[in-house]
């Protein structure tokens, strides 16, 4: 089953009489349980594509089906509900609240859900355990390393049990060891929990944790290939 299906997606930005084409006839699908990386250099259109995939922006043309429903048939309120309940987001900048604990940060998406408050702590602790951060549950972001901050952000994305996790350059602010650790955790979520993951990156070493790489260049799909030598999980990093 395809969770995501794009057909000839275009995005054009208009500034007076000037038009800038950011995406040109993008077509691909993402199966349930698949781990796909979208690669491309700065300015290639991958961030614009992520914004459309995550219901943060709308295409100028083409069709986008999420969970079998075309995006144009959603109202603004329905799009917000899907974004809050069916999509988890992990960003390069972590976006953690600085004065609250890991537990409270991870619980934030539950504020906008229909999940009873009595279940919030249990769900958050389970998500924190899944990323190996139980020993930091009461710590504030300032007391965490960069890799631990990103683990907390991943746990926050997991807590609502989303259909898709979108990871936007999740290793961009990390050193190589912490970055590998984070990618191993994301890969583990895909392999062991069958999470559907869409990763945005410009780094080949990061993309090779995925099953498939779609390369974007100048707003178009340059290639769409399976990863033949997918990186294996390393017990040294996945705790």
């Amino acid at each position: 089953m395809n969770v995501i299906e794009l057909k000839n997606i275009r995005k054009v930005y208009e500034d007076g009489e000037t038009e800038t084409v950011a995406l040109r006839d993008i077509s691909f699908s993402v199966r349930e349980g698949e781990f796909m990386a979208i690669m491309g250099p700065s300015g290639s259109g991958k961030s614009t594509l992520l914004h459309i995939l995550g219901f943060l922006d709308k295409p100028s043309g083409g069709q986008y089906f999420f969970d079998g429903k075309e995006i144009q048939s959603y109202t603004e309120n329905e799009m917000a509900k899907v974004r809050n309940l069916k999509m988890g987001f992990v960003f390069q900048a972590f976006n953690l609240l600085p004065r609250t604990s890991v537990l409270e940060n991870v619980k934030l998406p539950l504020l906008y859900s229909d999940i009873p408050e009595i279940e919030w702590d249990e769900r958050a602790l389970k998500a924190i355990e899944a990323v190996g951060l139980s020993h930091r549950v009461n710590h504030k972001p300032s007391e965490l390393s960069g890799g631990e901050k990103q683990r907390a952000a991943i746990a926050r994305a997991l807590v609502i049990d989303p259909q898709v996790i979108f990871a936007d350059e999740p290793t961009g602010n990390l050193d190589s060891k912490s970055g590998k650790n984070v990618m191993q955790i994301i890969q583990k979520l895909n392999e062991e929990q069958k999470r559907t993951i869409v990763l945005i990156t410009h780094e080949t070493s990061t993309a090779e944790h995925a099953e498939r790489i779609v390369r974007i260049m100048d707003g178009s799909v340059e290639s769409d290939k399976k990863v033949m030598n997918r990186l294996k999980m390393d017990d040294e990093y996945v705790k």
Side-chain angles (χ1 to χ4, degrees), residues 139-222:
H139 287 63
K140 294 179 180 177
S142 61
E143 301 170 313
L144 306 178
S145 68
E148 288 172 336
K149 289 176 184 177
Q150 197 58 289
R151 290 200 209 186
I154 295 169
R156 183 183 56 198
L158 281 174
V159 74
I160 55 169
D161 193 22
Q163 277 186 278
V164 182
I165 295 174
F166 295 106
D168 185 11
E169 299 280 8
T171 63
N173 283 337
L174 304 177
D175 60 59
S176 59
K177 183 174 180 179
S178 297
K180 180 176 180 180
N181 195 339
V182 163
M183 287 311 305
Q184 297 261 335
I185 289 168
I186 292 174
Q187 185 174 343
K188 184 177 181 180
L189 293 173
N190 170 250
E191 292 187 6
E192 296 186 2
Q193 296 188 15
K194 308 304 180 186
R195 297 280 179 180
T196 306
I197 297 168
V198 176
L199 167 74
I200 304 293
T201 184
H202 65 276
E203 298 176 338
T204 300
S205 59
T206 299
E208 286 177 345
H209 286 273
E211 302 170 278
R212 170 183 166 207
I213 298 175
V214 173
R215 295 181 185 271
I216 304 292
M217 181 65 70
D218 297 329
S220 299
V221 174
E222 185 180 52

Side-chain angles (χ1 to χ4, degrees), residues 27-121:
S27 298
F28 62 74
S29 59
V30 181
R31 303 186 319 275
E32 186 174 6
E34 186 174 16
F35 184 178
M36 187 186 82
I38 298 173
M39 272 195 74
S42 178
S44 61
K46 62 185 187 298
S47 294
T48 300
L49 179 56
L50 176 68
H51 288 161
I52 291 172
L53 291 173
F55 282 18
L56 301 170
D57 198 0
K58 289 186 176 182
S60 304
Q63 294 179 294
Y64 172 22
F65 295 86
F66 182 85
D67 198 23
K69 186 174 179 180
E70 213 276 323
I71 186 173
Q72 297 295 346
S73 65
Y74 285 94
T75 65
E76 291 296 329
N77 285 339
E78 286 173 336
M79 288 180 69
K81 189 170 184 179
V82 169
R83 190 166 56 243
N84 290 334
L85 301 181
K86 294 188 177 184
M87 299 176 177
F89 295 89
V90 180
F91 298 103
Q92 177 177 339
F94 316 132
N95 295 345
L96 300 174
L97 297 181
R99 294 183 176 85
T100 59
S101 68
V102 167
L103 178 62
E104 294 304 316
N105 267 285
V106 171
K107 284 162 59 174
L108 279 174
L110 298 171
L111 292 170
Y112 308 100
S113 74
D114 297 326
I115 298 167
E117 189 172 354
I118 194 172
E119 298 179 18
W120 289 5
D121 278 358

